[in-house]
Amino acid sequence: MQRKNSTAAGGPGDRRRGAVVAALMLSMALAALDSTIVSTAVPQIVGELGGFSVFSWLFSGYLLAVTVTLPVYGRLSDTLGRKPVLLAGSVLFLAGSVLCACAWNMGALIAFRVVQGLGGGAIQGTVQTLAADLYPLKERPRIQAKLSTVWATSSVLGPALGGLLASYAGWRWIFLINVPVGAVALLLVVRHLHEPPRERGPRPRVDWAGALAVFAAGGVLLTWLVQGGVAWAWSSPASVALLCTGAVLIGVVVAVERRAAEPILPGWVWRRRTIAAVNLALGAMGLLMVAPTTFLPTYAQSVLGLSPTAAGFVLSVMTLSWPVSAALSQHVYRRIGFRSTAALGMTAALGLLVAFPLLPFPGAVWQPTLLSLLLGAALGLFQLPLIIGVQSTVGWAERGTATASILFYRQIGQTVGAAVFGAVANGVISDRLGRGTDLDSVARDPGADGVRRAIDAAVDSVYTGAACAAGLALLVLLLLAPRRFPVLDAEPQESGGPPSPPAQRPPQHHTPQGPDRPRHTD
């Protein structure tokens, strides 16, 4: 009775949860803005600090830090609790923001962007995990749709806001604006997020050696992927050295994790059929997302002749339909299940990606815009049911690790896709034009018919590759994912705490027959 009264509409529990949700949305907005807001300020930054040859690391450095720390923070949130990890990550992110604003050269700015990314990894993973802690299964689509809307809106507004700040206030304000927003989010988390007290027991052991090994291996391999074919040739000594070093570090990770009592990358993530299948499916989705997010704006400007603002609109319509579709997906998966709903969404995405290369040259603006709108709806129907499905198959003590795992492989897919599809586009353009060049340089050409046709062919090839990635995701779902996800019955606490203290969880909880007995229903 006490729980019922405390969570009634307008009750103290309801108000606390509302304050925590507001903090999560503010934190998500910070992470989303920071991934795009710098792009339009690059000319001003380079003009003051120099370093044009390495400015791409402003983005790559942040991406690397976020990606390789996701599994580390996920495991730490299961071991130490969500609140301390989110607070530490937020403080680190804000410290990195202040340092970026004080940067004296491009090297310092890149280093401080990495510091930001170290905090951003904690924000992205922990916010998604807390969203599942706060709401029971039937209400989770509501909070996840809110977070999707915040992410989409912030990502779209980021370049425009960055341009305005760089033009009228100075590029350093791009980073300083994070401070007041982040401070409000921190205050809300400190005051309103209450996790149940943990019973006395053995002190949790943190696998710091495994965390360091994962960070090192991921950093080296992602550097090889991001910079290969850009800063150096794939067959160059630098590229080969990075690949070999990454392979050795993977061996180190395996050796360290097999000895660890509480590994950062626990084996049960891949031994459980549901999580393993979703990891692969979302990795393939990250791969295909490179086509619209990276190549569609260039297509709109160079082939259709649109202005940068209009080209951005062609892409932004996808971020309008995505959260709407995600919010409505609950009405579908409650009827046909998580796997079938995701398969339906990816089937639609596959058809839309195949349709893009069939568009006429040069075509009308409404054609790629409509495809972008429908693709956002299809991917919203695909991604959210899988995230909610995985979060619902694990207990509190494993939810952070499971959520970070699927986000990690989605990020890996995007990184691999950027490298692979970039090479594909450059190869097609070189074949068409008969000269060694890349997509960035031809996009700045006046608009000769030969260049436009070369870019059109390159983007068509990228979309064909994205369609192959969609087909792979669909096959993974149909062949590997269980028809019904083993959903647990555990209910969250009113303000985001776990159903039971993680210290009480015995080691055998890491098997499907742990203390939280699943029921095979969607």
Side-chain angles (χ1 to χ4, degrees):
M1 182 65 69
Q2 184 179 1
R3 175 179 170 85
K4 181 177 180 181
N5 291 338
S6 66
T7 57
D14 188 65
R15 288 193 295 271
R16 281 197 298 271
R17 187 168 71 170
V20 174
V21 169
L24 298 185
M25 294 174 71
L26 287 174
S27 300
M28 183 65 78
L30 283 178
L33 277 172
D34 213 65
S35 63
T36 60
I37 196 172
V38 179
S39 59
T40 48
V42 166
Q44 289 83 358
I45 295 174
V46 172
E48 180 177 337
L49 300 181
F52 179 79
S53 61
V54 295
F55 83 86
S56 63
W57 273 99
L58 290 176
F59 312 100
S60 300
Y62 182 83
L63 171 68
L64 291 172
V66 169
T67 303
V68 300
T69 55
L70 273 170
V72 176
Y73 286 124
R75 190 71 187 100
L76 290 177
S77 75
D78 286 340
T79 304
L80 305 176
R82 321 290 190 226
K83 185 173 182 177
V85 172
L86 181 57
L87 291 177
S90 298
V91 169
L92 192 59
F93 180 87
L94 294 180
S97 299
V98 173
L99 290 172
C100 285
C102 299
W104 54 90
N105 59 35
M106 184 61 74
L109 183 58
I110 290 171
F112 297 148
R113 282 282 287 171
V114 171
V115 174
Q116 269 193 311
L118 296 178
I123 292 174
Q124 287 194 30
T126 311
V127 164
Q128 293 279 6
T129 305
L130 272 169
D133 289 343
L134 282 168
Y135 289 88
L137 175 59
K138 64 181 180 180
E139 296 180 23
R140 264 173 217 159
R142 183 173 64 181
I143 179 62
Q144 292 287 3
K146 288 180 180 179
L147 294 177
S148 296
T149 302
V150 169
W151 182 273
T153 303
S154 300
S155 299
V156 171
L157 292 179
L161 181 58
L164 287 173
L165 289 173
S167 299
Y168 297 103
W171 64 265
R172 297 179 189 273
W173 282 97
I174 288 175
F175 303 105
L176 291 177
I177 197 174
N178 292 334
V179 176
V181 179
V184 172
L186 274 174
L187 179 62
L188 290 174
V189 170
V190 169
R191 294 188 60 181
H192 298 286
L193 178 58
H194 302 297
E195 295 180 299
R198 305 158 71 89
E199 290 190 359
R200 293 184 179 275
R203 183 177 179 180
R205 286 182 289 181
V206 179
D207 180 23
W208 295 114
L212 181 61
V214 169
F215 186 82
V220 169
L221 289 174
L222 288 179
T223 301
W224 171 70
L225 281 171
V226 170
Q227 294 300 105
V230 179
W232 46 70
W234 287 107
S235 57
S236 67
S239 183
V240 173
L242 280 173
L243 179 59
C244 293
T245 303
V248 171
L249 288 173
I250 287 178
V252 172
V253 170
V254 172
V256 170
E257 295 300 85
R258 293 184 67 177
R259 292 171 175 266
E262 295 289 339
I264 289 292
L265 295 177
W268 59 262
V269 169
W270 283 102
R271 287 196 297 269
R272 296 189 190 178
R273 183 180 169 191
T274 302
I275 303 176
V278 172
N279 281 343
L280 294 174
L282 286 182
M285 190 203 80
L287 193 71
L288 72 86
M289 279 297 297
V290 173
T293 57
T294 302
F295 292 91
L296 185 58
T298 299
Y299 171 88
Q301 292 181 67
S302 301
V303 178
L304 301 181
L306 301 180
S307 67
T309 302
F313 174 77
V314 174
L315 174 62
S316 67
V317 295
M318 184 175 72
T319 65
L320 300 177
S321 58
W322 190 314
V324 175
S325 172
L328 297 176
S329 66
Q330 60 175 314
H331 302 293
V332 183
Y333 70 65
R334 286 176 180 171
R335 291 179 175 272
I336 65 175
F338 292 120
R339 189 190 75 164
S340 297
T341 302
L344 179 64
M346 189 50 70
T347 300
L350 174 60
L352 294 166
L353 292 168
V354 168
F356 188 92
L358 303 179
L359 295 179
F361 176 85
V365 175
W366 68 266
Q367 294 169 334
T369 303
L370 178 60
L371 290 181
S372 181
L373 181 72
L374 296 176
L375 182 61
L379 293 177
L381 199 63
F382 168 79
Q383 177 179 260
L384 188 61
L386 292 183
I387 293 177
I388 293 177
V390 165
Q391 290 177 332
S392 303
T393 64
V394 294
W396 185 95
E398 297 175 339
R399 190 172 292 144
T401 301
T403 301
S405 174
I406 57 180
L407 296 179
F408 174 72
Y409 287 101
R410 187 184 66 184
Q411 289 276 103
I412 290 291
Q414 288 179 307
T415 305
V416 173
V420 171
F421 291 148
V424 168
N426 290 339
V428 171
I429 289 172
S430 296
D431 289 342
R432 289 298 183 105
L433 298 180
R435 56 186 174 89
T437 186
D438 59 23
L439 191 61
D440 290 334
S441 62
V442 299
R444 293 190 292 268
D445 276 355
D449 185 68
V451 171
R452 294 176 67 200
R453 289 186 178 275
I455 294 177
D456 179 67
V459 177
D460 284 350
S461 298
V462 168
Y463 267 80
T464 301
C468 294
L472 176 62
L474 189 58
L475 283 176
V476 165
L477 284 178
L478 296 179
L479 299 180
L480 299 182
R483 187 174 65 88
R484 291 186 176 274
F485 285 18
V487 176
L488 300 178
D489 290 314
E491 290 290 327
Q493 294 291 317
E494 62 191 41
S495 57
S500 59
Q504 292 180 304
R505 302 279 180 168
Q508 57 265 32
H509 181 59
H510 295 306
T511 65
Q513 284 76 36
D516 289 319
R517 298 185 179 276
R519 54 183 176 87
H520 291 272
T521 177
D522 293 317

